[in-house]
Amino acid sequence: MTQKMLVAGVGNIFFSDDAFGCEVVRRLAKEDLPEGVVVADFGIKGVHLAYELLEGYDTVIVVDAAPCGGRPGDLYLIEPKLEEIAESPLVQAASEGESALIDAHGLEPDAIFGMLKALGGNVGRALVVGCEPENIEEGLGLSATVESAVEPAVARLVDIIHQVHNRQEMELSMLAAKVPIEAPTGGRDARKEDQA
């Protein structure tokens, strides 16, 4: 049976490195990916992503800028513990008026999964591929440091997608190595298991 997988880029293109996820999925969409893999840029529409996940996906991979305290350009692979994420109070707030929906647009991945849970949805597995930003102030275009992490992130995603699609074991002990691994561009790939 074909795995149904969503790779979702999120971020705000008007705040420099916050657009990391949007740029990565734009390039990833040009790759030859297995059947059943959907690649989409959700931008700041976190609410739309939560509703899209109600369609039923075996795996979702969210690509986003992820300030985890590393060096700018560091790449992370994070597996949120979905069972520990609380239902989002934004669902109730959103039902009270349109302004609540607008406020809910720029959701972080854990808030998106919390909203999904509150809506009665579920996803088999969730991963977050993130990049440590250098600049998230207002402005168009990624910083040079984060731009240099885009292609390694695309390559990493292609590998992860094929592993998940082929149901290969992806032990987090390997993927969430505590020791940074040098990426092809010279940036680090410090992957973390417990942060979201």
Side-chain angles (χ1 to χ4, degrees), residues 97-161:
E98 189 175 330
S99 61
L101 280 174
I102 294 169
D103 293 341
H105 273 189
L107 299 180
E108 298 293 327
D110 58 344
I112 292 167
F113 298 130
M115 176 168 280
L116 174 65
K117 185 180 287 188
L119 291 168
N122 193 19
V123 64
R125 186 177 194 182
L127 298 168
V128 177
V129 172
C131 179
E132 188 75 39
E134 181 172 62
N135 175 26
I136 52 172
E137 294 181 3
E138 191 171 347
L140 291 172
L142 300 175
S143 66
T145 304
V146 170
E147 171 65 38
S148 71
V150 170
E151 288 302 330
V154 171
R156 177 82 50 194
L157 274 162
V158 169
D159 184 51
I160 291 168
I161 289 166

Side-chain angles (χ1 to χ4, degrees), residues 164-186:
V164 171
H165 184 265
N166 295 326
R167 303 185 195 287
Q168 293 175 338
E169 284 299 317
M170 286 201 318
E171 293 297 331
L172 283 184
S173 58
M174 174 189 73
L175 292 174
K178 300 300 180 188
V179 180
I181 299 170
E182 289 299 318
T185 60

Side-chain angles (χ1 to χ4, degrees), residues 6-194:
L6 175 65
V7 184
V10 297
N12 190 331
I13 63 169
F14 297 110
F15 287 88
S16 192
D17 292 340
D18 198 51
F20 172 78
C22 305
E23 182 60 22
V24 168
V25 297
R26 185 183 71 79
R27 298 191 200 181
L28 180 67
K30 299 174 183 175
E31 299 288 329
D32 184 21
L33 300 173
E35 182 183 354
V37 178
V38 177
V39 178
D41 177 5
F42 284 86
I44 60 170
K45 299 175 187 150
V47 173
H48 293 178
L49 174 53
Y51 277 98
E52 174 63 25
L53 291 173
L54 288 174
E55 296 297 317
Y57 287 91
D58 299 298
T59 305
V60 59
I61 304 173
V62 177
V63 189
D64 194 11
C68 293
R71 296 185 309 188
D74 282 359
L75 294 174
Y76 307 100
L77 177 62
I78 303 158
E79 182 158 26
K81 294 183 173 155
L82 297 178
E83 67 280 3
E84 295 179 5
I85 295 175
E87 289 186 8
S88 173
L90 286 171
V91 174
Q92 181 180 352
S95 68
E96 294 173 0
E98 189 175 330
S99 61
L101 280 174
I102 294 169
D103 293 341
H105 273 189
L107 299 180
E108 298 293 327
D110 58 344
I112 292 167
F113 298 130
M115 176 168 280
L116 174 65
K117 185 180 287 188
L119 291 168
N122 193 19
V123 64
R125 186 177 194 182
L127 298 168
V128 177
V129 172
C131 179
E132 188 75 39
E134 181 172 62
N135 175 26
I136 52 172
E137 294 181 3
E138 191 171 347
L140 291 172
L142 300 175
S143 66
T145 304
V146 170
E147 171 65 38
S148 71
V150 170
E151 288 302 330
V154 171
R156 177 82 50 194
L157 274 162
V158 169
D159 184 51
I160 291 168
I161 289 166
H162 282 284
Q163 287 185 59
V164 171
H165 184 265
N166 295 326
R167 303 185 195 287
Q168 293 175 338
E169 284 299 317
M170 286 201 318
E171 293 297 331
L172 283 184
S173 58
M174 174 189 73
L175 292 174
K178 300 300 180 188
V179 180
I181 299 170
E182 289 299 318
T185 60
R188 293 189 314 174
D189 184 0
R191 289 161 289 177
K192 299 185 179 180
E193 174 179 359
D194 298 324

